[in-house]
């Protein structure tokens, strides 16, 4: 990640999750499921959690992260490139959809347990996805910045968001970790305050989780929160939080 001069790093260090949780995540085979809109996602059997909504993987990502996050921020400011930070690279769907907007973007994403490349190569491609971009994003090496296209720069971090130092600030933050019930350590008040600290003034955080405890923690971290309608056929509400 490219550091800014004279900016103190923002650091987060918390106790690791229980070993049993870690073993479940790294040892369990992932299963490809086709969601209601025809797009694929992955299912983690041992924690009983899908990587995306079963009502539509692409529909969910486009609505929550692209439209209510990226495009919303782009309409509010002419700052380019737009600096995006993603919690949970997963299948790379949010990165691909972001790149497909054609906006100038610097995209940073962190993932503790990258999906096996062989499995990714066998996931059926939705016809609305740019296959060339998808392949370039997944073939890009970790830990370095890569120009995927003339408008999209990608930096994938193989690491633990609960134990990282960052010096950059961001315009958009995609909070797309597994649910609070499955990964509570990524949703407690200290972590939500950490995410808020990564946003520059005017920056926005979007997430599928609209729980009151999450909303209140973001408010306590200084963000202005909005409950917004969820994607068609999916969650009733989603959450967007803005840094004044």
């Amino acid at each position: 990640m490219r550091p800014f001069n004279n900016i103190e790093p923002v650091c987060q260090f918390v106790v690791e999750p229980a070993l049993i949780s870690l073993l479940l995540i790294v040892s369990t085979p992932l299963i490809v499921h086709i969601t209601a809109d025809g797009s694929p996602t992955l299912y983690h059997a041992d924690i009983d959690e899908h990587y995306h909504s079963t009502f539509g993987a692409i529909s969910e990502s486009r609505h929550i992260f692209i439209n209510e996050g990226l495009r919303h921020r782009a309409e509010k400011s002419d700052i380019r490139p737009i600096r995006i930070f993603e919690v949970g690279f997963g299948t790379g769907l949010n990165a691909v959809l972001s790149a497909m907007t054609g906006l100038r973007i610097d995209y940073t994403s962190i993932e503790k347990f990258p999906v096996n490349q062989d499995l990714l190569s066998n996931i059926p491609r939705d016809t609305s996805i740019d296959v060339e971009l998808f392949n370039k994003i997944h073939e890009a090496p970790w830990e370095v910045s890569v120009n995927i296209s003339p408008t999209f720069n990608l930096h994938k971090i193989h690491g633990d968001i609960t134990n990282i130092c960052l010096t950059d600030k961001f315009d958009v933050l995609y909070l797309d970790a597994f649910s609070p019930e499955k990964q509570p350590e990524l949703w407690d008040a200290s972590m939500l305050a950490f995410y808020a600290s990564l946003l520059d003034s005017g920056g926005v955080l979007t997430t599928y989780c609209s729980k009151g405890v999450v909303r209140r923690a973001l408010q306590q971290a200084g963000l202005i929160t909005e409950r917004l309608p969820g994607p068609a056929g999916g969650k009733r509400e989603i959450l967007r939080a803005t840094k004044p």
Side-chain angles (χ1 to χ4, degrees):
M1 187 176 298
R2 299 170 306 285
F4 290 113
N5 292 330
N6 302 320
I7 296 181
E8 291 297 321
V10 178
C11 303
Q12 180 69 19
F13 299 101
V14 301
V15 177
E16 281 288 311
L19 180 60
I20 185 64
S21 298
L22 185 150
L23 290 174
L24 286 174
I25 291 174
V26 298
S27 65
T28 304
L30 299 173
I31 302 166
V32 177
H33 276 189
I34 303 302
T35 65
D37 66 1
S39 58
T41 190
L42 295 176
Y43 174 67
H44 195 301
D46 275 343
I47 63 172
D48 189 27
E49 185 97 338
H50 288 84
Y51 276 61
H52 309 94
S53 170
T54 57
F55 294 102
I58 286 182
S59 299
E60 176 191 53
S61 290
R62 279 204 177 112
H63 178 79
I64 299 172
F65 301 110
I66 308 305
N67 294 339
E68 300 297 353
L70 173 57
R71 292 193 184 279
H72 171 80
R73 183 69 183 111
E75 291 170 359
K76 298 288 184 180
S77 171
D78 59 1
I79 293 174
R80 300 293 186 275
I82 297 173
R83 301 160 297 173
I84 298 176
F85 185 79
E86 177 183 36
V87 179
F89 180 74
T91 65
L93 180 58
N94 294 333
V96 175
L97 293 176
S98 297
M100 287 173 58
T101 65
L103 294 165
R104 283 204 302 124
I105 293 169
D106 279 347
Y107 196 102
T108 303
S109 183
I110 189 166
E111 176 61 57
K112 188 174 182 181
F113 302 106
V115 177
N116 182 279
Q117 189 64 39
D118 291 337
L119 176 58
L120 285 170
S121 65
N122 289 318
I123 294 177
R125 303 291 187 268
D126 186 272
T127 56
S128 66
I129 289 293
D130 186 316
V131 175
E132 182 179 1
L133 276 176
F134 180 93
N135 291 336
K136 285 184 176 180
I137 283 170
H138 284 288
E139 291 166 1
W142 295 77
E143 316 304 340
V144 296
S145 293
V146 179
N147 288 318
I148 300 298
S149 76
T151 59
F152 191 79
N153 187 78
L154 174 67
H155 183 188
K156 297 189 295 187
I157 302 171
H158 183 186
D160 184 350
I161 187 64
T162 68
N163 187 9
I164 192 171
C165 286
L166 298 172
T167 56
D168 291 6
K169 294 292 184 180
F170 299 92
D171 306 300
V172 179
L173 193 149
Y174 297 162
L175 180 46
D176 200 18
F178 283 131
S179 69
E181 292 78 15
K182 309 301 181 180
Q183 286 188 312
E185 69 277 5
L186 302 188
W187 296 89
D188 65 24
S190 65
M191 284 305 301
L192 292 167
F194 174 58
Y195 304 145
S197 74
L198 298 178
L199 291 174
D200 211 344
S201 178
V204 298
L205 176 155
T206 54
T207 183
Y208 62 88
C209 180
S210 62
K211 287 179 175 291
V213 64
V214 172
R215 179 173 54 86
R216 289 188 293 273
L218 290 172
Q219 290 172 344
Q220 290 170 2
L223 304 188
I224 300 169
T225 62
E226 306 170 80
R227 281 176 170 161
L228 304 171
K235 290 180 66 67
R236 185 170 63 88
E237 291 182 329
I238 63 170
L239 193 63
R240 181 168 67 210
T242 303
K243 191 163 194 175

